[in-house]
């Protein structure tokens, strides 16, 4: 042995230790092993790195800001309201151009409501009664319009009537129109401007074509092939691409999702990162069941007459709510996921070697021979001078 | 040696090389090693794969759309406003049924405001004055209601008054009511419809029970055990489940979060993926300090009198804002995370072997012996015929 | 060999097998190998664990709730509208204090519109005409204000006129003011309260300083160094920090993003997790092109005259939209990513050994010698008693 004490130990730190290998000249196992190695290499290079981009760090938290603007004008003529011209300031709720907005396609107006006593609507279950005692004074009508006064109003003695209530009278009675009043909203156009950023990579982009042509955005319309950077869509087209019919949906209302997907490979050029639009109806699960179909809500416009008394117009609107959902991910080369995937690949190689070892040592004809070559036996009561062999025989000194 | 030149090299590529092992018949280290192997295997199988689902690819970017609808009617009677019936069209702001909405529980109304000159409120620090010079003409009152006119209005010479301002007069003075005016909003019910999708897996679902029963959703109420798919909640229950009292919260207002968590294992059946509701008060950090407690804002309703002059009603509303926060993740089997976790487990096995090697080679009694067996010394000036041994002695040819 | 049959096999399971190593006393390769090992160790410890925090599990899905409140009063005086005092109830749309809100900085009012027939605006391309036949009766004016009546109105025979339309008359004509009418909105202040939680770790925090001082939040203003926990910002400062000028932006409007980033190491103290504010203009890509610059929308206020006839005021508002975008991530120690990164590091060590092996076996002077020492040849037709040597020669017993 070389050296003494610390010096020897220190020098031995710089000895290079390498595993000893046994060469088994068995072509079958050798070919199988090379084949396994090639398969694992092909998997790592082609599947993990090229297809799944395993060398990239991925960010899925996209920051998005959406601005929308509707255009289109429509004229309606109803019995209660007469003629009315609807512009975006009327049928878009809310009007600020946000990413969630509602387009009125159908409505029921109950004008000139004032506070007072009148009969509850017969369509409210809790408002029905046969005797005065059914209407407890001061009690709120469940899912109704007012507070019960204590009297039951009915046409004649034997019929079922409804409670008299203190509420905004007359109570809303209109039957929902069968045809959507604003059915021609189908021709309205929406302009969607989407600005996104991936903060982890400091990358940001917008979906609008940079152009010097003032008139381009005023005349173009979205087309997947010819005008992919003109984010102006016709409402009827959006509903059609979602797989539904605008006129049918417009009767009771519904909910449409406009999905904007940004799938960006930031190792490529800036211009390669573009949005992909898709459309789906979001209240679809209930399209067959009538329990939760449609979309409607109510709002009221308040006025004061010359006497200073308040009166209001109650409007129940049905319509299509558009939800613009922006999602996506960006990937960029990063050393850590690369190392992790390479490391896992190397571990797989080790598993491949383990598998071939099994075949060599246990399954082929000469397995016993190779086992003896691979595993060197040691006995702890032998002297240091033993020559290693399969059965540890001693060579006696002559 | 086999062959010559290229042919020999080519054939040698298909030789199978396997590491040579030394068998140390030391039962203690052997048992320890098997134990370490079992422990690592148990960790991989039980913790990584079964508990943490390490074989799954996870998506955390859930796409969500929420539609809400409130029901309930309430009657109020105040000095300034008189009697008023409040329906969802009045107390829900905004009325469209979005995922963030505000319920009015308390309010201060200042009706019949017209533009003119009047005294600033004494509660505004920057509006207080003792002399006219304190009120610079044309200057805006900081956190106040109007523009200073230059005069200081006070009751008598020695007291402190407030600046005269040009503003909507009379200025809002009302003290906040101690009892919430719409306190019975506690009984209102909210219906939350949530549609989610995980775009990476093309999976989508809604939280509403598919049913043919028209009346189910009109009568049921959420119950964790009996009606988990009836997303209709009573407002008072929501605040109670968040750990607070509705009546206390309703005085100054607050902010409640309704969390809907979707934790889906997509390797299981579609029906196994269900939402979990939880509730929390979101402005809770300030509940103890009065600096930022409560939630209020103001809006104005504009009217014109017969002369065409504009007047308005200023309404300061206090209430509870509900934020519906949808989050979750979906997991599905994928080969890449499986390989990565298996690979890391195998690397751990290697660490286990390294640890047992340390014990065998340095810590037990026969460690020197095993070290000599494991490490085969080579000297670079010896001939090829040397027999390997611990001290590299030559066996002379007799 | 020890034992027979099953007992022997069972005992052999507890034999400890360790790889056999060959010590090559080549200091150059040994030093190189130690250097490679140190480099890999330094990479793992310093880069993966300390810098990139590879021992942590990361959650990127932050749950956030934002409440905002504007303060500031302004006086305007225009030809159409006269004097008007604007408070937050007037210029903030919507007024509820949500995370997306719009501040009016400029506007065009068209008061006293009633339904009737009048000329379309000459600025609408589809409304221009030379003959009556250009205005098809009942047709909607594309991007216009009403429905064509069939007549073309023009000053004299040879000029171009516009179609007569049925619409809210008079049609909006006003030219956009060159100076922003509410330019002094620059001095308004916004208070942003942000509550976040990381559900995976059950961690939640707010960005407002907990204080017993009632007056702190009424007087402080955000300062990066001195008052980092006072989230009250002056609008002009926000636009300036975003790199733009408020007065310029206020003419046509625009979109500003207020980014609140929470980057939390949950292994540290609770007080170390604080938000970082940054500001950017979101409609910036179009700042140079006039095609999509600015931000505006329209809304209408409806009134009824004593006769019950409806008239309205159409308001086109320009302004700055503020989007508060909250994002972030939290990391906490977790055994699984630690193991994965350690495992990958160990696999790298193996690659380092492979690299040094290449040098030892093929590149240095004594490479042939070391190759023979490392790879032990076996021939499958030799008897078990062969002594292993480079060329497998038999030593005959004398």
């Amino acid at each position: 042995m070389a050296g003494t004490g610390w010096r020897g130990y220190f020098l031995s730190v710089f000895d290079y230790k390498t595993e000893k290998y046994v060469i088994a000249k068995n072509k079958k196992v050798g070919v199988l092993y090379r084949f396994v190695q090639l398969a694992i290499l092909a998997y790592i290079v082609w599947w993990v790195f090229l297809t799944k981009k395993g060398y990239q760090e991925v960010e899925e938290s996209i920051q998005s800001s959406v601005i929308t603007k509707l255009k289109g004008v429509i004229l309606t003529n109803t019995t209660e309201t007469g003629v009315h011209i609807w512009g975006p300031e009327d049928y878009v709720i809310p009007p600020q151009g946000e990413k969630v907005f509602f387009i009125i396609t159908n409505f029921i107006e109950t004008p000139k409501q004032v506070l007072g006593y009148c009969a509850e609507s017969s369509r409210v279950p809790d408002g029905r009664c046969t005797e005065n005692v059914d209407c407890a004074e001061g009690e709120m009508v469940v899912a109704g319009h007012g507070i019960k006064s204590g009297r039951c109003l009915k046409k004649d003695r034997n019929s079922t009537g409804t409670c008299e209530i203190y509420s905004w009278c007359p109570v809303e009675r209109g039957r929902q129109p069968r045809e959507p009043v604003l059915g021609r909203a189908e021709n309205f156009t929406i302009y969607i401007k989407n600005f996104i950023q991936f903060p982890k990579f400091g990358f940001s982009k917008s979906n609008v074509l940079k152009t010097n042509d003032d008139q381009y955005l005023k005349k173009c319309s979205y087309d997947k092939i010819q005008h992919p950077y003109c984010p102006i869509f016709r409402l009827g087209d959006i509903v059609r691409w979602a797989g539904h019919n605008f006129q049918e949906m417009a009767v009771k209302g519904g909910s449409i999702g406009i999905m904007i997907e940004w799938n960006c490979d930031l190792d490529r050029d800036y211009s390669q990162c573009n949005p992909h639009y898709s459309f789906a109806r979001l209240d679809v699960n209930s399209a067959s069941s009538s329990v939760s179909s449609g979309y409607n809500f109510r709002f009221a416009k308040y006025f004061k007459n010359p006497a200073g008394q308040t009166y209001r117009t109650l409007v129940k609107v049905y319509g299509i709510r558009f939800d613009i959902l922006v999602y996506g991910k960006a990937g960029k080369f990063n050393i850590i996921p690369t190392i992790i995937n390479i490391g896992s690949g190397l571990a797989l190689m080790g598993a491949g070697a383990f598998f071939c070892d099994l075949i060599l040592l246990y399954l082929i004809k000469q397995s016993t021979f190779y086992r003896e070559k691979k595993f060197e036996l040691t006995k702890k009561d032998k002297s240091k001078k033993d020559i290693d062999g399969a059965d540890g025989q001693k060579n006696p000194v002559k």
Side-chain angles (χ1 to χ4, degrees), chain A residues 175-196:
Chain A
R175 294 256 167 223
Q176 179 190 7
R178 291 187 185 286
E179 293 299 318
V181 181
L182 279 87
R184 280 188 296 193
E186 194 168 359
N187 293 320
F188 294 165
T189 57
I190 172 173
Y191 163 58
I192 303 175
K193 173 163 175 173
N194 179 215
F195 170 88
I196 59 112

Side-chain angles (χ1 to χ4, degrees), chain A residues 158-209:
Chain A
N158 296 334
S159 62
T160 305
T162 58
C163 290
E164 180 186 53
I165 52 171
Y166 185 75
S167 121
W168 290 95
C169 296
V171 154
E172 182 188 84
R173 270 177 219 282
R175 294 256 167 223
Q176 179 190 7
R178 291 187 185 286
E179 293 299 318
V181 181
L182 279 87
R184 280 188 296 193
E186 194 168 359
N187 293 320
F188 294 165
T189 57
I190 172 173
Y191 163 58
I192 303 175
K193 173 163 175 173
N194 179 215
F195 170 88
I196 59 112
Q197 63 174 355
F198 288 105
K200 192 188 280 191
F201 305 120
F203 176 87
S204 66
K205 192 164 181 180
S206 146
N207 71 333
V208 175
L209 177 70

Side-chain angles (χ1 to χ4, degrees), chain A residues 187-243:
Chain A
N187 293 320
F188 294 165
T189 57
I190 172 173
Y191 163 58
I192 303 175
K193 173 163 175 173
N194 179 215
F195 170 88
I196 59 112
Q197 63 174 355
F198 288 105
K200 192 188 280 191
F201 305 120
F203 176 87
S204 66
K205 192 164 181 180
S206 146
N207 71 333
V208 175
L209 177 70
K210 281 199 232 186
T211 176
N212 290 329
D213 181 2
D214 269 14
Q215 298 301 316
Y216 177 69
L217 278 183
K218 286 196 179 165
K219 287 181 300 188
C220 72
S221 198
Y222 177 73
D223 182 277
K224 205 163 180 185
I225 319 289
Q226 292 189 316
H227 297 282
Y229 304 118
C230 171
I232 295 179
F233 306 84
R234 188 178 154 274
L235 294 191
D237 290 343
I238 290 179
V239 178
R240 183 166 45 87
W241 290 328

Side-chain angles (χ1 to χ4, degrees), chain A residues 114-120 135-141 144-151 153 163-171 309-310:
Chain A
V114 288
L115 282 171
Y117 290 95
C118 51
E120 173 63 273
C135 307
E137 181 179 354
E139 188 182 284
M140 173 184 95
V141 179
H145 299 104
I147 312 294
K148 297 175 187 173
S149 70
R151 290 176 53 193
L153 304 173
C163 290
E164 180 186 53
I165 52 171
Y166 185 75
S167 121
W168 290 95
C169 296
V171 154
Q309 188 197 26
T310 306

Side-chain angles (χ1 to χ4, degrees), chain A residues 40-317:
Chain A
I40 292 174
L41 197 69
Y43 157 78
I44 294 176
V45 170
W46 179 75
W47 180 251
V48 174
F49 281 96
L50 292 183
T51 310
K52 291 281 180 181
K53 296 197 167 50
Y55 56 90
Q56 285 189 335
E57 175 188 17
V58 172
E59 165 160 42
E60 288 197 26
S61 301
I62 190 173
Q63 292 301 314
S64 158
S65 174
V66 174
I67 296 176
T68 57
K69 204 168 174 105
L70 271 286
K71 278 205 190 300
V73 171
I74 205 172
L75 180 143
T76 65
N77 196 344
T78 57
T79 335
E80 302 94 1
T81 342
V83 178
H84 198 280
I85 290 267
W86 298 73
E89 63 274 8
D90 296 308
Y91 59 72
V92 183
I93 301 175
Q96 298 96 268
E98 295 188 10
K99 68 177 180 176
V100 177
F101 58 93
F102 177 86
I103 309 273
I104 302 176
T105 58
N106 208 357
F107 66 95
I108 298 171
E109 243 187 42
T110 313
K112 298 198 189 64
Q113 284 190 329
V114 288
L115 282 171
Y117 290 95
C118 51
E120 173 63 273
S121 164
S122 55
R123 301 168 75 195
V124 178
D126 190 46
R128 299 190 193 119
C129 61
T130 42
E131 301 294 329
N132 281 357
V133 71
D134 296 332
C135 307
E137 181 179 354
E139 188 182 284
M140 173 184 95
V141 179
V142 172
H145 299 104
I147 312 294
K148 297 175 187 173
S149 70
R151 290 176 53 193
C152 180
L153 304 173
K154 47 189 189 177
K155 289 202 165 64
D156 47 68
R157 263 196 215 150
N158 296 334
S159 62
T160 305
T162 58
C163 290
E164 180 186 53
I165 52 171
Y166 185 75
S167 121
W168 290 95
C169 296
V171 154
E172 182 188 84
R173 270 177 219 282
R175 294 256 167 223
Q176 179 190 7
R178 291 187 185 286
E179 293 299 318
V181 181
L182 279 87
R184 280 188 296 193
E186 194 168 359
N187 293 320
F188 294 165
T189 57
I190 172 173
Y191 163 58
I192 303 175
K193 173 163 175 173
N194 179 215
F195 170 88
I196 59 112
Q197 63 174 355
F198 288 105
K200 192 188 280 191
F201 305 120
F203 176 87
S204 66
K205 192 164 181 180
S206 146
N207 71 333
V208 175
L209 177 70
K210 281 199 232 186
T211 176
N212 290 329
D213 181 2
D214 269 14
Q215 298 301 316
Y216 177 69
L217 278 183
K218 286 196 179 165
K219 287 181 300 188
C220 72
S221 198
Y222 177 73
D223 182 277
K224 205 163 180 185
I225 319 289
Q226 292 189 316
H227 297 282
Y229 304 118
C230 171
I232 295 179
F233 306 84
R234 188 178 154 274
L235 294 191
D237 290 343
I238 290 179
V239 178
R240 183 166 45 87
W241 290 328
H244 286 80
N245 178 282
F246 191 95
Q247 296 302 323
E248 285 172 16
M249 231 183 131
V251 177
K252 281 191 153 192
S255 175
I256 290 277
I258 299 173
M259 273 71 71
I260 305 182
E261 180 178 9
W262 294 82
N263 223 325
C264 291
D265 183 346
L266 300 184
D267 294 323
R268 291 190 187 178
D269 188 56
Y270 184 84
S271 63
Q272 295 273 340
C273 176
N274 295 308
H276 170 78
Y277 302 92
S278 56
F279 310 89
R281 181 163 178 176
L282 298 185
D283 57 333
V284 69
N285 282 351
S286 54
S288 48
S289 122
S290 66
V291 178
S292 58
S293 68
Y295 191 111
N296 66 74
F297 63 91
R298 292 177 179 81
F299 64 91
K301 296 184 201 173
Y302 285 84
F303 307 96
K304 284 191 196 270
N305 62 18
Q309 188 197 26
T310 306
Y311 64 101
R312 75 178 200 182
T313 299
L314 178 68
V315 187
K316 177 177 182 181
V317 289

